[in-house]
Amino acid sequence: MEIEEEKGTEDAVKDKSLRQPGSVKPTPNIIEEVFSPEDPDSKQMEREALNRRNAWEPSAFYSLGKETFFFTGKEISIRESLDSYGAVIWPGAVALCKYLEKNREQIDLMDKAVLELGAGTGLVSIVTSLLGAWVTATDLPDVLNNLNFNLSRNTRGRCRYTPQTAALNWGQDVTRHFPTTVYRYDYVLCADVVYHHDFLENLLITMKHFCKPGTILLWANKVRFQSDLCFTETFKNAFNTTLLEEIPHEEVRIYQATAK
């Protein structure tokens, strides 16, 4: 699908984002080039990259409404919005991306089915796709337009599998919309999904639903509130957990969990 401009991107993916995700992994893409030369988004990203080659830049480039990261040897441009928490990149997402990139041998995502809960801007799903996984990125319906835009812009022509998106509300309805007889995943990823909100119980229900025997759940989170610590204890009681990494200066912890 050719994308003429950002608005066109949003309109083109709006209907698709409301459908149930595919449950059968497709045939891997044949990747002939990083981006199509005719694609206007590609040209824009190439111009941005060329401009930055002439000056030293840190690993993340900050500007109004956009952040640029470098993972798996690729430049990733993320469009943010201040409309909701889900449209902003949080420290847990960056930490999880770094961990996945650094530990490719221990966590081999090639050809794995991966689900992300609370995908937000899509950074984790993009990096996971670049590492060879078949990704389903989920979040609330009002987040999906920006999520779709970022996924399409940063994975088209680059990834073994085209990532898909789906609306997902945490809680009891997840059993009806995502029956485990149909939807099973090798990995479930969560980044900064725990903060000061009223849906922690529903989040745990959703984690348990998807984290069945044979599934590995990876959860990265910045510790901000006492409620975060309380949830962590509940999480540890619900799963077999291992603290994979702690980043003191970021106050971020990364856990691995499997079903009890």
Side-chain angles (χ1 to χ4, degrees), residues 25 108-114 128 132-135 161 186-187:
K25 185 165 60 180
D108 182 8
L109 296 174
M110 183 64 67
D111 294 322
K112 300 298 192 300
V114 175
T128 306
W134 179 50
V135 178
Y161 300 96
D186 299 300
Y187 288 90

Side-chain angles (χ1 to χ4, degrees), residues 228-243:
D228 298 353
L229 298 175
C230 294
F231 180 88
T232 300
E233 292 306 309
T234 305
F235 177 81
K236 290 179 179 179
N237 291 330
F239 299 99
N240 299 311
T241 62
T242 303
L243 178 61

Side-chain angles (χ1 to χ4, degrees), residues 55-69:
W56 178 87
E57 292 289 347
S59 59
F61 174 80
Y62 296 88
S63 65
L64 182 62
K66 187 187 74 174
E67 293 191 31
T68 299
F69 297 86

Side-chain angles (χ1 to χ4, degrees), residues 127-146:
V127 172
T128 306
S129 295
L130 292 173
L131 290 170
W134 179 50
V135 178
T136 300
T138 67
D139 212 310
L140 295 172
D142 61 349
V143 176
L144 292 186
N145 279 347
N146 193 57

Side-chain angles (χ1 to χ4, degrees), residues 182-253:
V182 177
Y183 297 97
R184 298 189 68 87
Y185 299 93
D186 299 300
Y187 288 90
V188 175
L189 306 182
C190 314
D192 267 326
V193 291
V194 176
Y195 49 93
H196 193 60
H197 61 71
D198 298 325
F199 306 103
L200 294 180
E201 182 178 348
N202 286 339
L203 171 60
L204 189 65
I205 290 171
T206 305
M207 287 177 163
K208 287 180 177 180
H209 174 77
F210 287 112
C211 190
K212 299 302 184 185
T215 300
I216 295 175
L217 188 150
L218 300 175
W219 169 43
N221 222 93
K222 179 180 175 68
V223 179
R224 301 176 178 87
F225 310 103
Q226 182 63 35
S227 57
D228 298 353
L229 298 175
C230 294
F231 180 88
T232 300
E233 292 306 309
T234 305
F235 177 81
K236 290 179 179 179
N237 291 330
F239 299 99
N240 299 311
T241 62
T242 303
L243 178 61
L244 296 178
E245 187 167 75
E246 187 167 11
I247 309 167
H249 67 282
E250 293 280 356
E251 299 183 87
V252 170
R253 298 174 186 175

Side-chain angles (χ1 to χ4, degrees), residues 147-163:
L147 172 60
N148 268 301
F149 173 80
N150 284 328
L151 285 173
S152 178
R153 182 177 187 179
N154 290 283
T155 65
R156 186 176 52 245
R158 287 177 160 184
C159 295
R160 188 168 172 82
Y161 300 96
T162 301

